[in-house]
C-alpha cells in the first residue's frame, strides 16, 4: 500500500524507474570487472531483481495487472531459475575470469561509458515517441537508459572473452530489452511475455550445456582458444 | 478438414514426432520423423495451393498464412521430409534393429566365452552412446523443423521472433552434436552471434510496436495480417525498426558482415543439419525481414528499405564470391555459397519491382532444393572419403556414381546454369533490376555471380570429375579409421552399398555404433575383432540403405529441373501472389 502511494505520484514513479534503470546500468559496469563465475551470476540476479521491480512499479502506476505477472515471472525465472541452471551446469565456481578481458579495465570502462552515452542520446527521441500512457509521466522517460543498457551489454560480450561473461552479456541485453518493452510497449499481449520468458528459459539451458561442453573440451572458460575455424 | 486445421497440423505433427522420438526406440524415431516430414510437406502444399490466388488462411488469432508464408512453408517442409529420409541412410537405417540384435548376440556370447567381459561392456557402452546420439539427433531435428514451420505461420511478429530464437538454441545444440572440438567451437560462435543479432531484432519488434500501436491499437499492433496493410505509421520509427530487423534477422540469414558464424556452423554440423540450416533456416530469417519490409514500403516508400537491402546484398555477394575462390573444405564451400545466394536474394528484394520479387520467391525455393541436395552429396562424400578436404578427394563420380552425379547437378543448379530453376530465378532478378533502372546493381550482381561460379565449379569439378589418384588418400579402406575426431553418425554405419557401390566402406572410427565396418561383400575387415558378431546384420542392412541417401537428392534435382523448365501453374500463381504481397498490390 505504501509502495502504491509512493508510485502513484508521477514524479516519484519516474524517479523510481530511472533509479532502478541506472542500477541496472551500474550492474553492467560491475560485470565488466567481475572475476568469478559466481560474481557474474550474482550481479545478474541483482540486475534482474531491479528489472522485476521496474515492472512492478510500472504495473502499480498504470494499474496494469499484466505487468504484475511480468514482474513475478521475471523474478522467478531470472533471479531464481536461470542462475540455478547456470550454476548447476557449470561447477567451476573458483575459475578466474580476470584474464579474459581484451584490454585493461580502465580502457574497458571508458569504452563502456562512451557507449552508454551514445545509447542515451539515441534513446532520447523515444521519450516523446512513447505512445502508451501518453500525456502522463510514463516509464518512457527511461528509454534512453534502456538503450544504453542494451549497448553496454554488447560491449560486455565483445570486451570479455570468456563464456561466462558473454552469456552474462546476452542476459543483460535481454534485460535491457525487457526494460525497453516495459517502457514503451507495456500493453503488448501477455502471451508475448510468456513466450519470451519460455524462450529465455530454453536459452539458459542451452547456453549452460554449451558452456559445459566448451569447458570439457578446452579445460578453460576462455574463448581465446576458439581459433580453429577460420577462412 | 478446414484450412485452419492444416495450419495447426503443421505445428502439432512435428510436436508429436518430437515426443515419439524422445520416448521410443530408434526405429520409432525414424518412422515418426519421416512420417512427420511427409505429413508436414503435404499440409504445406495444401496451404500453399489454398493461398496461391491471394487471401489468407487463419486458425484463430494465433496462426495465419498468406502466399508469402506459403512459399517459405514449401521449402521448409520439403527439406524437413528430405532430411528425415536422408538421415536414415546417414545414421544407418539398421542401427536400431541391427544393433539391438547385435547387442543381444554380445550378451549371449558373453555367457559362452570367458574373459570377454570388458569387450561386452564396451559394446554395451557404445550402444548406449549411439542410442543417446540418435535420440538427440531425431528429437532435435523435429523441434527444429517444427519451430521453423511455426515461425512461418504465427500471426504475431513477436511470436515469430520467439520461434526463430528457439530455432537458434535448438540448432546450436544440433551443431555441437558430433562432439568434436570444431563442432563445439562452431556451436558457441553460432549461439552467441545469432543471439546477439536476435536481441537487436527483438528491439526492432518493440520499436515497430511503438510505431503501430497508435494506429492499430495494442492488441493488433504486431499482428501480421494488419501490419501488411497499415498506413500512416511514424516514418522515423518504422525506419529504425526496419534497420534493427535487417541487422538482427540478417545475422541469422547470413548477410555480411554478420555472417561469420555461418561457415563454421554449416561445416561442423552433422550433414542433415547443415542442409536444414542452409536451405531452410536462412530462408525463415529472410521471411522475418520481408515482414518488416512490407510495413516499411507501405509507410516509408521504396527507396529506403530497398537501398538497405541492396547494400547488405552486394556486400554479402562480394565476400562470398571471394571466399569461394579459396575454399578447401567442401561443406565450408557450400556454406559460402549460401552467403552468396542470400546476397542475391537481398539484391533481388532490393530491386523491388514485381518481376524481381517473383524471382526472389522462386530463388528461395530453388536454393533450398539445390543446397539441400548439395549438402546431402557432401555428406555422402564425407562418409566415402573420410574427409571434407577438397584437395584430398578425387574420382568422386567413379566412387559414388549416383551421389556424385546428383551433387554435380546440384552445383550446376547453384551456379544458375540452365535448365535448373536458379537460372530462371536469377534471370528474373536481373530482368527486374534492369526494368527498375538499377543497371549498376545488375552489373555488380552478374560479375560477382560469375566469380562465385568460378570458385564453386572449379572445386566441384576437382572433386567429382578428376580421375582417382592411385596413391591418393581417396576412399577409405574397409574398416579403416574414418573422419578422425568425429564421434557422430557417419563412418562405419554402412550407409552406402546398394546404389552407390562401395559407399558402405566407411571405416569404423571411434564413433558410437562403429562396431560396424565391413566391405560391401560382407567380408570382415581386419581389426574388427569381437564386434564381428553384429557385422553380417549391419552389412545386410546397409545394402539397400544408399537409397535413403540418394532419393532425397534425386527429388531435389527433379524439383529443380521441373521448376526450371515448366513450373506448375499453381506454384507460379503463388509466386506472383507473394510478389504482389511485397509490393502492397495484393487484391483484397
Amino acid at each position: 500500500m505504501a509502495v502504491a502511494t509512493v508510485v502513484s505520484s508521477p514524479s516519484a514513479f519516474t524517479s523510481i524507474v530511472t533509479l532502478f534503470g541506472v542500477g541496472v546500468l551500474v550492474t553492467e559496469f560491475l560485470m565488466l570487472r567481475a572475476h568469478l563465475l559466481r560474481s557474474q551470476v550474482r550481479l545478474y540476479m541483482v540486475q534482474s531483481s531491479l528489472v522485476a521491480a521496474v515492472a512492478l512499479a510500472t504495473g502499480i502506476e498504470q494499474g496494469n495487472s499484466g505487468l504484475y505477472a511480468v514482474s513475478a515471472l521475471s523474478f522467478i525465472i531470472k533471479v531464481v531459475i536461470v542462475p540455478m541452471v547456470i550454476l548447476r551446469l557449470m561447477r567451476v565456481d573458483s575459475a578466474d575470469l580476470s584474464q579474459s578481458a581484451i584490454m585493461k579495465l580502465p580502457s574497458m570502462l571508458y569504452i563502456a561509458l562512451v557507449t552508454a552515452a551514445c545509447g542515451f542520446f539515441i534513446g532520447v527521441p523515444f521519450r516523446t515517441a512513447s505512445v502508451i500512457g501518453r500525456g502522463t509521466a510514463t516509464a518512457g522517460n527511461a528509454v534512453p537508459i534502456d538503450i544504453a543498457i542494451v549497448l553496454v551489454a554488447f560491449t560486455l560480450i565483445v570486451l570479455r572473452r570468456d563464456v561466462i561473461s558473454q552469456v552474462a552479456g546476452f542476459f543483460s541485453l535481454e534485460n535491457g530489452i525487457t526494460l525497453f518493452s516495459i517502457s514503451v510497449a507495456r500493453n503488448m499481449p501477455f502471451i508475448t511475455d510468456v513466450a519470451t520468458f519460455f524462450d529465455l528459459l530454453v536459452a539458459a539451458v542451452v547456453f549452460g550445456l554449451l558452456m559445459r561442453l566448451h569447458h570439457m573440451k578446452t579445460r578453460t572458460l576462455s574463448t581465446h582458444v576458439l581459433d580453429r575455424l577460420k577462412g | 478438414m478446414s484450412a485452419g486445421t492444416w495450419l495447426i497440423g503443421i505445428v502439432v505433427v512435428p510436436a508429436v514426432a518430437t515426443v515419439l522420438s524422445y520416448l521410443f526406440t530408434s526405429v520409432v524415431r525414424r518412422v515418426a520423423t519421416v512420417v512427420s516430414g511427409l505429413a508436414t510437406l503435404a499440409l504445406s502444399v495444401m496451404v500453399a495451393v489454398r493461398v496461391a490466388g491471394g487471401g489468407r488462411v487463419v486458425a484463430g488469432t494465433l496462426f495465419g498464412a498468406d502466399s508469402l508464408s506459403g512459399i517459405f512453408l514449401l521449402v521448409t517442409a520439403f527439406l524437413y521430409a528430405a532430411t528425415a529420409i536422408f538421415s536414415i541412410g546417414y545414421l544407418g537405417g539398421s542401427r536400431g534393429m541391427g544393433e539391438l540384435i547385435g547387442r543381444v548376440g554380445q550378451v549371449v556370447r558373453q555367457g559362452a566365452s570367458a574373459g570377454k567381459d570388458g569387450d561386452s561392456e564396451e559394446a554395451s557402452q557404445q550402444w548406449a552412446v549411439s542410442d543417446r546420439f540418435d535420440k538427440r539427433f531425431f528429437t532435435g531435428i523435429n523441434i527444429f523443423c517444427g519451430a521453423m514451420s511455426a515461425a512461418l505461420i504465427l500471426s504475431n511478429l513477436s511470436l515469430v521472433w520467439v520461434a526463430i530464437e528457439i530455432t537458434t538454441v535448438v540448432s546450436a545444440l544440433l551443431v555441437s552434436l558430433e562432439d568434436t572440438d570444431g563442432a563445439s567451437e562452431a556451436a558457441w560462435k553460432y549461439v552467441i552471434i545469432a543471439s546477439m543479432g536476435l536481441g537487436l531484432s527483438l528491439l526492432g519488434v518493440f520499436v515497430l510496436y511503438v510505431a503501430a500501436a497508435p494506429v492499430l491499437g495494442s492488441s493488433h499492433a504486431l499482428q501480421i495480417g494488419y501490419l501488411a496493410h497499415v498506413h500512416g505509421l511514424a516514418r522515423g520509427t518504422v525506419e529504425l525498426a526496419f534497420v534493427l530487423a535487417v541487422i538482427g534477422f540478417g545475422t541469422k540469414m547470413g548477410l555480411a558482415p554478420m555472417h561469420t558464424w555461418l561457415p563454421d556452423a554449416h561445416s561442423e554440423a552433422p550433414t542433415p543439419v547443415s542442409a536444414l540450416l542452409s536451405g531452410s533456416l536462412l530462408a525463415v530469417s529472410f521471411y522475418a525481414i520481408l515482414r518488416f519490409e512490407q510495413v516499411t514500403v507501405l509507410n516509408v516508400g521504396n527507396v529506403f528499405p530497398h537501398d538497405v537491402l541492396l547494400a547488405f546484398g552486394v556486400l554479402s555477394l562480394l565476400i562470398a564470391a571471394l571466399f569461394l575462390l579459396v575454399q578447401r573444405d567442401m561443406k565450408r564451400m557450400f556454406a559460402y555459397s549460401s552467403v552468396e545466394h542470400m546476397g542475391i536474394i537481398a539484391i533481388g528484394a532490393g530491386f523491388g519491382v514485381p518481376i524481381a520479387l517473383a524471382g526472389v520467391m522462386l530463388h528461395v525455393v530453388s536454393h533450398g532444393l539445390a543446397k539441400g541436395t548439395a549438402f546431402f552429396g557432401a555428406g555422402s562424400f564425407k562418409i566415402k572419403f573420410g574427409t571434407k578436404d577438397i584437395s584430398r578427394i578425387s574420382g568422386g563420380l567413379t566412387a559414388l556414381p549416383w551421389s556424385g552425379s546428383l551433387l554435380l547437378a546440384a552445383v550446376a543448379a547453384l551456379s544458375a546454369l540452365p535448365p535448373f530453376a536458379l537460372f530462371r530465378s536469377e534471370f528474373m532478378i536481373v530482368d527486374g533490376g534492369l526494368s527498375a533502372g538499377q543497371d549498376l546493381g545488375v552489373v555488380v550482381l552478374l560479375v560477382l555471380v560469375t566469380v562465385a561460379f568460378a570458385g564453386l565449379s572449379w572445386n566441384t569439378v576437382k572433386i567429382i570429375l578428376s580421375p582417382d589418384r592411385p596413391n591418393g588418400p581417396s576412399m577409405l579402406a574397409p574398416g579403416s579409421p574414418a573422419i578422425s575426431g568425429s564421434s557422430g553418425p557417419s563412418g562405419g554405419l554402412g550407409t552406402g552399398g546398394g546404389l552407390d557401390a562401395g559407399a558402405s566402406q566407411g571405416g569404423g572410427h571411434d564413433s558410437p555404433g562403429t562396431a560396424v565396418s565391413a566391405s560391401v561383400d560382407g567380408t570382415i575387415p581386419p581389426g574388427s575383432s569381437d564386434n564381428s558378431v553384429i557385422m553380417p546384420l549391419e552389412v545386410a542392412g546397409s545394402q539397400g540403405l544408399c537409397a535413403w541417401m540418394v532419393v532425397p537428392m534425386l527429388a531435389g534435382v527433379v524439383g529443380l529441373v521441373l521448376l526450371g523448365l515448366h513450373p506448375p501453374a499453381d506454384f507460379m500463381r503463388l509466386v506472383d501472389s507473394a510478389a504482389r504481397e511485397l509490393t502492397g498490390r495484393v487484391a483484397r
Side-chain angles (χ1 to χ4, degrees), chain B residues 111-456:
Chain B
S113 170
K116 297 286 184 184
D117 292 355
D119 297 329
S120 174
E121 194 177 320
E122 189 182 336
S124 179
Q125 282 173 353
Q126 276 186 340
W127 187 84
V129 172
S130 165
D131 191 59
R132 199 162 59 230
F133 178 95
D134 205 56
K135 179 196 282 189
R136 289 176 180 173
F137 178 86
F138 281 104
T139 306
I141 288 283
N142 285 308
I143 299 175
F144 185 29
C145 292
M148 284 193 291
S149 303
L152 299 171
I153 58 172
L154 280 163
S155 290
N156 188 298
L157 213 47
S158 61
L159 297 181
V160 171
W161 180 89
V162 170
I164 292 179
E165 172 63 10
I166 286 176
T167 66
T168 305
V169 290
V170 174
S171 56
L173 282 182
L174 285 168
V175 168
S176 73
L177 208 54
E178 291 199 343
D179 204 21
T180 61
D181 291 347
S184 160
E185 178 178 338
W188 184 257
K189 288 178 179 172
Y190 168 42
V191 80
I192 282 292
I193 295 172
S195 296
M196 284 169 67
L198 287 176
L200 280 182
S201 58
L202 180 61
L203 203 57
V205 170
F206 289 142
V207 171
L208 184 60
Y209 177 89
V210 170
V215 179
L216 293 173
S218 299
S219 53
H220 293 145
L222 291 178
Q223 289 291 111
I224 288 170
Y226 290 88
L227 283 172
H229 308 100
V230 68
H231 291 270
L233 307 190
R235 183 187 178 95
T237 315
V238 172
E239 285 177 345
L240 178 62
F242 179 71
V243 170
L244 287 170
V246 171
I247 295 174
F249 290 118
T251 305
K252 270 212 90 174
M253 184 187 164
L255 290 180
M258 302 86 72
H259 69 288
T260 50
W261 63 272
L262 191 150
D264 297 346
H266 289 209
S267 64
E268 297 300 320
T271 294
V273 178
S274 305
L276 285 172
L277 285 171
S278 186
S280 190
L281 183 64
L282 305 187
V284 170
S285 306
F286 179 58
Y287 165 81
I289 291 176
L290 287 180
R291 288 301 183 191
F292 276 82
E293 198 223 2
Q294 273 183 301
V295 189
T296 312
V297 167
L298 286 176
N299 292 279
V300 176
N302 289 324
V303 178
F304 175 76
H306 292 164
D307 285 352
V308 170
L309 286 172
L310 269 176
F312 278 107
V314 168
L315 186 60
S316 305
L317 187 52
L318 173 67
I319 288 179
L322 295 178
F323 273 89
L324 272 170
L325 291 174
V326 296
Q327 282 312 302
R328 292 290 168 266
D329 179 301
M330 190 169 28
K331 286 178 75 178
R332 222 174 161 79
M333 175 178 74
F334 288 132
Y336 274 107
S337 165
S338 297
V339 178
E340 175 210 348
H341 283 278
M342 291 305 111
I344 293 171
I345 284 170
I347 290 172
F351 288 157
V353 294
I355 180 74
L357 292 170
V360 166
M361 294 298 110
L362 180 58
H363 203 92
V364 166
V365 176
S366 312
H367 175 256
L369 298 181
K371 198 48 69 66
T373 306
F375 269 112
F376 292 153
S380 301
F381 272 65
K382 185 184 163 192
I383 291 174
K384 176 69 178 172
F385 292 90
T387 181
K388 298 177 291 175
D389 186 344
I390 291 168
S391 63
R392 298 179 63 206
I393 301 174
S394 60
L397 200 57
T398 314
L400 295 168
W402 278 87
S403 298
S405 307
L406 293 168
L407 177 59
L408 195 61
V411 171
L414 287 170
S415 304
L417 296 179
F420 300 106
L422 284 132
F423 172 74
R424 179 188 280 263
S425 64
E426 288 190 20
F427 193 86
M428 290 165 76
I429 290 172
V430 168
D431 188 14
L434 292 173
S435 65
Q438 297 273 8
D439 296 359
L440 180 62
V442 169
V443 170
V444 170
L445 172 68
L446 291 175
V447 168
L448 293 177
V449 163
T450 308
V451 173
F453 163 74
L456 192 62

Side-chain angles (χ1 to χ4, degrees), chain A residues 126 129 131-132 134 147 150 154 157-158 163 166-167 170 173 177 180-181 184-189 191-192 195-196 198-199 202-203 206-207 209-211 213-214 217 223 225-231, chain B residues 62 156 158-159 161-162 165-166 169 172-173 176 179-182 184-189 191-192 195-196 199-200 202-203 206-207 209-210 213-214 218-219 222 237 240 263-264 268 323 327 332 336:
Chain A
F126 277 89
V131 290
I132 312 301
R134 180 185 285 170
I147 303 284
V150 168
F154 274 102
I157 295 171
V158 173
V163 290
Q166 289 183 344
V167 168
F170 172 72
L173 173 69
I177 294 170
F180 181 81
S181 74
V184 300
R186 70 195 62 150
N187 286 339
M188 276 179 64
I191 189 171
T192 302
T196 311
F198 168 75
D199 177 61
V202 175
V206 171
F207 274 120
L209 289 171
L210 290 177
M211 281 195 292
L213 178 65
H214 172 81
K217 288 279 173 199
T223 56
V225 294
L226 300 181
D227 58 357
R228 286 184 70 248
L229 303 172
K230 285 179 181 169
Chain B
L62 205 53
N156 188 298
S158 61
L159 297 181
W161 180 89
V162 170
E165 172 63 10
I166 286 176
V169 290
L173 282 182
S176 73
D179 204 21
T180 61
D181 291 347
S184 160
E185 178 178 338
W188 184 257
K189 288 178 179 172
V191 80
I192 282 292
S195 296
M196 284 169 67
L200 280 182
L202 180 61
L203 203 57
F206 289 142
V207 171
Y209 177 89
V210 170
S218 299
S219 53
L222 291 178
T237 315
L240 178 62
D264 297 346
E268 297 300 320
F323 273 89
Q327 282 312 302
R332 222 174 161 79
Y336 274 107

Side-chain angles (χ1 to χ4, degrees), chain A:
Chain A
M1 192 64 191
V3 174
T5 308
V6 170
V7 299
S8 62
S9 156
S11 59
F13 164 74
T14 306
S15 302
I16 287 174
V17 169
T18 306
L19 190 66
F20 287 173
V22 171
V24 171
L25 196 56
V26 169
T27 57
E28 282 193 327
F29 278 87
L30 293 174
M31 281 175 167
L32 278 168
R33 60 180 295 277
H35 289 172
L36 298 174
L37 162 65
R38 197 164 282 277
S39 322
Q40 288 288 33
V41 173
R42 280 180 185 150
L43 284 167
Y44 174 67
M45 290 166 72
V46 171
Q47 187 183 80
S48 301
S49 303
L50 292 169
V51 172
V54 170
L56 181 64
T58 311
I60 292 169
E61 198 261 347
Q62 299 285 322
N64 184 335
S65 57
L67 284 175
Y68 297 153
V70 169
S71 174
L73 279 173
S74 278
F75 191 84
I76 293 168
I77 291 176
K78 295 180 183 176
V79 183
V80 180
I81 298 178
V82 169
M84 195 172 68
V85 167
I86 298 292
L87 289 175
R88 281 182 73 90
L89 287 171
M90 296 297 295
R91 297 179 187 281
V92 286
D93 296 350
S94 59
D96 186 2
L97 310 175
S98 58
Q99 301 303 313
S100 75
I102 63 170
M103 59 182 68
K104 294 193 181 302
L105 183 62
S107 306
M108 288 201 302
L109 291 176
Y110 179 73
I111 290 174
L113 273 172
V114 172
T115 309
C118 290
F120 192 86
F121 287 115
I122 291 170
V124 165
F126 277 89
R127 297 172 73 143
T128 52
S130 179
V131 290
I132 312 301
R134 180 185 285 170
T136 65
T138 74
N141 290 321
V143 166
I145 298 173
D146 303 339
I147 303 284
I149 292 166
V150 168
L151 293 187
V152 174
F154 274 102
T155 62
L156 175 60
I157 295 171
V158 173
L159 297 178
R160 291 289 299 268
R161 290 198 173 174
D162 66 89
V163 290
I164 305 292
S165 300
Q166 289 183 344
V167 168
F170 172 72
F171 286 138
S172 290
L173 173 69
E174 196 278 332
N175 269 340
I177 294 170
T178 302
L179 282 179
F180 181 81
S181 74
I182 291 170
S183 297
V184 300
R186 70 195 62 150
N187 286 339
M188 276 179 64
F190 185 58
I191 189 171
T192 302
D193 295 313
V194 173
T196 311
F197 282 120
F198 168 75
D199 177 61
L200 182 70
L201 208 54
V202 175
V205 173
V206 171
F207 274 120
L209 289 171
L210 290 177
M211 281 195 292
R212 188 166 71 173
L213 178 65
H214 172 81
H215 188 247
M216 281 166 53
K217 288 279 173 199
T218 62
R219 294 283 143 210
T220 173
L221 295 174
S222 169
T223 56
H224 279 108
V225 294
L226 300 181
D227 58 357
R228 286 184 70 248
L229 303 172
K230 285 179 181 169

